[in-house]
Amino acid sequence: MPALSDRITGINGGGSDGWDVFYRARAMIADGIAVTELTIGEHDIRTDASILNAMHEAAMAGHTGYAIVPGTPGLRDAIARRVSDRTGVATTRDNVLITPGGQAGLFAAHMACCNPGDTALYVDPYYATYPGSIRGAGAVPRAITTRAADAFLPQPDALDAAAKGAASLLINTPNNPTGVVYPADTMAAIGQTARDHDLWLISDEVYDTQVWEGTHLSPRALPGMAERTLVIGSMSKSHAMTGSRIGWIVAPAPVIERLIDLATNTTYGVPGYIQDAALFALNAGPSLEEAIAAPFRRRRALATDILSRQSTVGHISSQGAMYLMLDIRATGLDGEGFANALLDQHQIAVMPGESFGTSAKGHIRVAMTVDDDTFARSLTTLCRFAETLRAAA
Ligand code: PMP
């Protein structure tokens, strides 16, 4: 067989990525062992029946042919209105490209902002696909590390030092995996860095409807930022539509024009009946989004209560998204060792902090994606297990 391209063979970057425990949990389940999975970011509910009905009706009405590549005018308008209302930044359909999910948006944004070999920045700990998306686009990923003591927020001096010679900066708030919502001073420092170093800012806001504390701020609304910011949005988390693959990029109109060229030559758009269902879901208003966020809001309150009654497992307050980042360093184990032991002894699967880079070493990420009782029971077991380990250490 001829050699594959460096671009595709290099996407994964090689090395251990800390996902072994996830695959081991899946293998145990395949062997019939009951494992509680608190691993990946997917709701324990399915897409609402009303959204599926809208999808069915659109398909039956014939919206099954090629859809117009940038997205249907109705959906682009609805997203532009939503973004204008939430951020105060004037936004029209010309600022919006519909994409098959946020992930396709992340890749397309880096294709638009980086030449081959350019440095693309991202913040560690990070969502699993970030370095691969950057490498896939031909750019070179450079991590900005953070510290648990700073709630994993990127610090101004670290941003400034990393930015020299870079082309783009990717941020994510509300954050996966930490659950942190970036405050105004962090956002101001990010904006300052982007302007000082003439960077594109790629802002992953797919969890913007899941905020438990504080306020979601979009950096596109900061002074001088709309002209250099590409916002990644998605219906996956806000409307439990992970399998429908529908998201968007909001960016300056000339950027969207070029992104339409890319979409024409890659995805060729998003199915019309999915777009019609997404429009229906957005028009259903905030109550539907709130109902989808509510289970995580409840479980986050349960977790705060359980964690406050012990002192072995530390945590930074989860202010948004569907995750808790727990500090298990008092047990003497690293995240991977703890996650493996918890899986073996209690059949509870969590993600080691090491699977999100180097900054969250000694931590684990817990996804709040099982029913309330199972969640509370599992978290209590996890804390007791940590206490046992600490006592034995
Ligand atoms: N960004 C973040 C931070 C995520 O957690 C995810 C999904 N887990 C995505 C982007 C991609 O989501 P999707 O492609 O389903 O919109």
Side-chain angles (χ1 to χ4, degrees):
M1 159 173 116
L4 286 166
S5 71
D6 294 342
R7 181 186 293 113
I8 200 159
T9 54
I11 283 182
N12 275 335
S16 162
D17 57 8
W19 280 67
D20 301 357
V21 62
F22 172 79
Y23 293 115
R24 220 157 60 72
R26 284 284 156 102
M28 286 166 71
I29 292 166
D31 285 346
I33 300 167
V35 174
T36 303
E37 285 191 287
L38 307 175
T39 48
I40 58 170
E42 184 149 32
H43 318 65
D44 48 321
I45 53 162
R46 301 287 87 182
T47 307
D48 194 77
S50 63
I51 302 176
L52 296 179
N53 275 332
M55 201 179 289
H56 176 77
E57 278 171 19
M60 293 305 281
H63 208 174
T64 54
Y66 288 124
I68 183 169
V69 171
T72 63
L75 183 58
R76 293 172 84 199
D77 284 346
I79 289 159
R81 257 197 319 276
R82 178 186 175 90
V83 170
S84 303
D85 289 351
R86 290 180 179 210
T87 64
V89 185
T91 308
T92 72
R93 148 191 330 174
D94 294 337
N95 299 115
V96 180
L97 172 76
I98 306 301
T99 62
Q103 183 55 52
L106 284 165
F107 177 73
H110 284 96
M111 286 293 279
C113 298
C114 300
N115 276 314
D118 276 356
T119 298
L121 307 174
Y122 65 105
V123 181
D124 178 331
Y126 56 86
Y127 172 53
T129 67
Y130 283 0
S133 302
I134 290 168
R135 281 190 290 260
V140 179
R142 180 189 291 166
I144 299 172
T145 53
T146 60
R147 300 182 324 137
D150 298 324
F152 299 110
L153 292 169
Q155 300 299 301
D157 49 351
L159 284 163
D160 191 65
K164 289 187 180 60
S168 64
L169 166 60
L170 169 59
I171 61 161
N172 170 223
T173 180
N175 189 268
N176 175 14
T178 65
V180 167
V181 174
Y182 284 12
D185 57 346
T186 300
M187 282 310 202
I190 287 166
Q192 189 73 45
T193 303
R195 287 188 304 268
D196 286 353
H197 296 271
D198 198 23
L199 304 181
W200 289 106
L201 182 63
I202 301 172
S203 179
D204 179 343
E205 303 181 22
V206 304
Y207 292 99
D208 66 348
T209 63
Q210 299 182 358
V211 179
W212 326 128
E213 209 180 291
T215 313
H216 170 67
L217 301 171
S218 176
R220 187 167 169 266
L222 292 173
M225 290 305 291
E227 67 205 50
R228 61 174 70 250
T229 303
L230 288 76
V231 175
I232 309 298
S234 172
M235 304 289 289
S236 286
K237 314 293 176 177
S238 60
H239 292 82
M241 290 181 73
T242 48
S244 291
R245 311 311 303 134
I246 177 122
W248 56 83
I249 302 177
V250 172
V255 177
I256 295 295
E257 275 176 38
R258 297 281 79 81
L259 284 167
I260 293 168
D261 295 340
L262 179 66
T264 303
N265 291 285
T266 52
T267 61
Y268 211 78
V270 173
Y273 53 93
I274 304 275
Q275 296 193 64
D276 289 349
L279 180 57
F280 168 88
L282 290 177
N283 285 340
S287 60
L288 180 54
E289 291 167 25
E290 191 39 52
I292 290 159
F296 304 118
R297 191 186 291 282
R298 279 199 315 269
R299 292 168 201 159
R300 185 257 188 183
L302 287 172
T304 305
D305 182 46
I306 292 166
L307 292 165
S308 73
R309 284 191 264 114
Q310 55 83 56
S311 56
T312 302
V313 178
H315 73 295
I316 47 160
S317 177
S318 166
Q319 300 161 316
M322 41 177 92
Y323 313 100
L324 304 171
M325 184 60 89
L326 303 181
D327 180 349
I328 47 79
R329 285 175 288 187
T331 64
L333 296 181
D334 62 11
E336 215 159 344
F338 184 89
N340 275 307
L342 183 69
L343 180 61
D344 288 332
Q345 299 195 28
H346 294 285
Q347 293 74 52
I348 297 170
V350 297
M351 293 300 293
E354 292 84 355
S355 46
F356 309 105
T358 58
S359 300
K361 208 170 164 19
H363 289 69
I364 52 167
R365 189 194 73 175
V366 173
M368 302 186 280
T369 49
V370 292
D371 69 82
D372 295 17
D373 287 348
T374 309
F375 176 71
R377 215 173 334 110
S378 304
L379 189 59
T380 305
T381 303
L382 185 157
C383 290
R384 292 215 182 104
F385 180 56
E387 278 157 20
T388 316
L389 290 172
R390 182 189 202 168

